[in-house]
Amino acid sequence: MRRIVLAGVAIAALFATAPVAGSPAAVGSPGHRSPGSCPDPGTAGARVPDGAVGTDPDSLSSEQVKALDHALQRRLRALSPAQRAAAHRGAAPVTIDVFWHVITRNDGSGGVADARIRRQVRVLNESYAGKTAKAASATRFSFETRTILRTANSDWYDWANPERNLSDDNQAKRALHRGTRADLNIYVTNLRGLLGYASYPGGPLAKDGVVVLKATLPGGRAVGYRQGDTLTHEVGHWLGLYHTFQGGCTKPGDHVRDTPRQRAGNNIYTCNTRFNTCDAAGRDPVRNFMNYVGDACMNRFTSGQATRMSQVWRAFRAPSTQ
């Protein structure tokens, strides 16, 4: 059985007014990355199979993270004191409408059944409600299917790895995207070379959303990654979370107060809760949804991550900001 690992990469203009530049670093093995190198414009938080050949998605550089967080703080400062307080507390529940785009071959084969989509929505709702572990924190977000749209297009079905070719990402999203920045568009495809990737808030509306390999939905064939947590992870990026190991042992890490800093080495793929790879207090957040472990290991968001997602929502995605 081949081990599957997770990698991250950013999108150009991730947050409005936050420029991102650079191209991906060439690597020999996904197990030996340089998480500080500049990513290719186009995607965020991509999972790749071990042994993938060619350029490899990477985490954001410290300069990119700084630009993104400056954009977030500018937007939060523009809110009234009452609005900032509400964003911080995340008091009001938010139900996010989901537009599912199931891409099939021209003859209609290769899609996923509605039942698997319903199971995936249950996974999202349990994860974001903090029902997956005693230590899990609830967020303010839940998800509800608005519609399931099916598109027969063999080219888009074999969706290209956007690290190598952005044609499918550009063409399919611009043709199919529905709703506003507050709506989640999910593209279910036979994604090539990756398990899934997402956009951060603030980029072009037509490019907004998550692309996921159909085999990662519950009941799929991605061994070790078929419980639905690829989408849980990618939606975390869509709501503004970084990887738990962002910045490695260097402050401010992932900009979340209660996720201990974590060295960005091969350890991030291993479900070992005894890891403590940085001198800072706290063991590595191995079981966090924004780490790189497999589905069976990841089972929680923290209170700080719930707060950050709430702030990002209010700053970039809430209907009143559009």
Side-chain angles (χ1 to χ4, degrees), residues 256-314:
V256 176
R257 58 177 173 77
D258 58 359
T259 54
R261 294 197 294 278
Q262 178 181 12
R263 185 174 65 83
N266 288 344
N267 54 291
I268 62 180
Y269 314 124
T270 304
C271 188
N272 186 338
T273 58
R274 294 172 295 182
F275 279 159
N276 185 6
T277 55
C278 295
D279 291 337
R283 292 182 179 179
D284 292 3
V286 169
R287 292 193 179 276
N288 196 278
F289 284 123
M290 302 312 294
N291 194 22
Y292 270 12
V293 292
D295 288 6
C297 187
M298 55 173 57
N299 62 14
R300 68 196 64 174
F301 290 115
T302 68
S303 175
Q305 286 175 316
T307 294
R308 180 178 174 85
M309 286 188 278
S310 180
Q311 292 174 330
V312 168
W313 174 266
R314 184 61 185 81

Side-chain angles (χ1 to χ4, degrees), residues 8-44:
V9 62
I11 186 170
L14 302 183
F15 292 160
T17 75
V20 175
S23 60
V27 294
S29 166
H32 298 278
R33 294 186 172 80
S34 173
S37 59
C38 294
D40 181 80
T43 60

Side-chain angles (χ1 to χ4, degrees), residues 151-222:
T151 299
N153 187 310
S154 294
D155 181 22
W156 296 348
Y157 172 76
D158 286 320
W159 194 291
N161 181 337
E163 288 299 298
R164 302 183 181 96
N165 186 340
L166 279 168
S167 61
D168 291 335
D169 188 89
N170 289 333
Q171 296 169 13
K173 285 182 176 179
R174 286 173 178 160
L176 301 177
H177 186 276
R178 299 291 185 273
T180 70
R181 298 185 194 279
D183 301 310
L184 175 58
N185 282 254
I186 300 174
Y187 303 85
V188 183
T189 77
N190 191 37
L191 180 61
R192 313 304 288 179
L194 305 174
L195 299 182
Y197 66 92
S199 61
Y200 282 95
L205 178 60
K207 299 273 285 180
D208 194 52
V210 173
V211 181
V212 66
L213 174 67
K214 65 175 186 174
T216 65
L217 270 63
R221 297 182 178 181

